[in-house]
Amino acid sequence: MNFKEFIIKAAKEEFEQLAGVAVKHVEELLGSGTGAAKKEMAIDILLSHLPLYLKPLIPFFKKSLIRLADGLIEKTVKRMQEFQNMNGVCGA
């Protein structure tokens, strides 16, 4: 495993744990109709919660980290929408 793969793997572990919390927080804060802004804010939340040892590396791997966070946010939103649809919950 090279250095970049190590960084991405460590970030993915952190992001997976926080993606749901970030998406819920941003949804409550901004509400509906602001998809692009919500996604950007959720990505910022994930990046800000990286472990201290990874934070200095963000500028070097920013594109990869944003791509990773974006994919995890999309998956989280899809799961939340499926859950709401299955349980008859109206999305905000």
Side-chain angles (χ1 to χ4, degrees):
M1 174 183 304
N2 66 34
F3 188 64
K4 182 178 179 180
E5 290 170 345
F6 170 76
I7 297 303
I8 298 302
K9 181 181 180 212
K12 184 177 181 182
E13 290 171 2
E14 292 294 321
F15 288 173
E16 285 176 337
Q17 292 179 20
L18 293 171
V21 173
V23 168
K24 286 178 188 175
H25 176 71
V26 171
E27 181 66 34
E28 290 172 0
L29 193 63
L30 298 181
S32 62
T34 56
K38 288 191 290 191
K39 184 183 282 189
E40 186 176 333
M41 186 179 268
I43 288 171
D44 288 343
I45 289 170
L46 293 179
L47 290 175
S48 73
H49 282 85
L50 282 172
L52 195 57
Y53 72 93
L54 291 179
K55 286 188 181 194
L57 303 172
I58 290 174
F60 303 104
F61 299 102
K62 192 162 190 162
K63 285 184 181 180
S64 296
L65 292 170
I66 289 173
R67 203 169 28 251
L68 172 64
D70 183 56
L72 289 171
I73 289 167
E74 287 293 329
K75 285 180 188 177
T76 301
V77 169
K78 186 176 180 178
R79 280 192 303 247
M80 288 177 153
Q81 289 172 342
E82 289 171 356
F83 177 80
Q84 289 173 344
N85 291 337
M86 286 178 18
N87 293 296
V89 177
C90 180

